């Protein structure tokens, strides 16, 4: 994503293409401080994103997801599962794989973020569509 902020030679954060003096002159002191705080926070997130240290998770603990599973009866079924925990596989700063621990009414499972959109879905409707695709194979 294209950066929205930049830092000057003193390390101060500015909006790219906006003169910070314009902000300073047109805002009251306390409002200018709030804008500065928000810009610094945004710049920090942009720095993390550039270093590939910012991870957008598809879900959080407590969310309900839908897991499409091949069962003993020889058919695929959709199970409603609660996300209990999300853990990196290996070193947290280098982890490319994140494990998600799921619990359902009759089963428990570990899945990866790579499974989202393939066998794990955020809505029942998405899982049903995938179930229909798998039934045709």
């Amino acid at each position: 994503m294209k950066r929205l902020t930049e830092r000057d030679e003193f390390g101060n954060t500015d909006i790219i293409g906006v003169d910070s003096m314009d902000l300073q002159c047109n805002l009251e002191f306390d409002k200018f401080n709030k804008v500065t705080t928000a810009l610094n926070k945004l710049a920090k997130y942009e720095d993390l994103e550039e270093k590939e240290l910012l991870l957008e998770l598809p879900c959080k603990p407590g969310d309900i997801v839908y897991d499409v599973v091949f069962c003993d009866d020889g058919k695929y079924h959709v199970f409603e599962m609660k996300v209990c925990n999300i853990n990196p596989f290996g070193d947290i700063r280098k982890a490319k794989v994140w494990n998600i621990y799921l619990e359902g009414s009759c089963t428990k499972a570990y899945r990866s973020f790579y499974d989202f959109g393939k066998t794990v879905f955020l809505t029942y409707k998405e899982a049903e569509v995938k179930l229909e695709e798998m039934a045709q194979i």
Side-chain angles (χ1 to χ4, degrees):
M1 179 186 288
K2 187 176 173 186
R3 280 193 77 104
L4 302 172
T5 62
E6 62 187 355
R7 289 195 176 81
D8 64 17
E9 63 272 14
F10 305 107
N12 300 318
T13 305
D14 291 320
I15 301 170
I16 294 174
V18 176
D19 184 359
S20 61
M21 287 307 294
D22 286 344
L23 285 175
Q24 219 167 357
C25 294
N26 291 312
L27 292 174
E28 297 170 16
F29 184 74
D30 61 326
K31 289 183 180 178
F32 177 75
N33 282 338
K34 287 180 180 180
V35 169
T36 301
T37 300
L39 286 175
N40 287 330
K41 190 170 189 175
L42 174 59
K44 180 180 175 182
Y45 285 127
E46 288 179 329
D47 292 344
L48 291 170
E49 184 177 48
E50 282 180 352
K51 295 174 187 173
E52 296 184 7
L53 294 174
L54 189 64
L55 178 67
E56 186 175 352
L57 304 176
C59 60
K60 64 184 181 307
D63 283 355
I64 300 298
V65 296
Y66 301 89
D67 195 12
V68 178
V69 178
F70 189 76
C71 296
D72 292 339
D73 65 359
K75 298 178 184 175
Y76 286 96
H77 296 276
V78 176
F79 291 91
E80 182 178 287
M81 307 285 274
K82 180 180 177 181
V83 177
C84 294
N85 208 344
I86 300 172
N87 296 312
F89 184 76
D91 183 355
I92 191 168
R93 296 184 63 80
K94 297 176 185 174
K96 296 292 182 191
V97 177
W98 287 71
N99 289 323
I100 303 166
Y101 178 64
L102 306 173
E103 285 187 2
S105 59
C106 61
T107 187
K108 298 175 184 178
Y110 277 100
R111 297 290 181 257
S112 133
F113 285 152
Y114 296 120
D115 294 325
F116 276 80
K118 296 175 184 162
T119 60
V120 179
F121 300 90
L122 297 174
T123 67
Y124 185 77
K125 181 75 174 161
E126 291 172 314
E128 272 187 325
V129 169
K130 187 64 174 186
L131 191 63
E132 289 172 14
E133 287 176 16
M134 291 175 149
Q136 294 174 3
I137 296 176

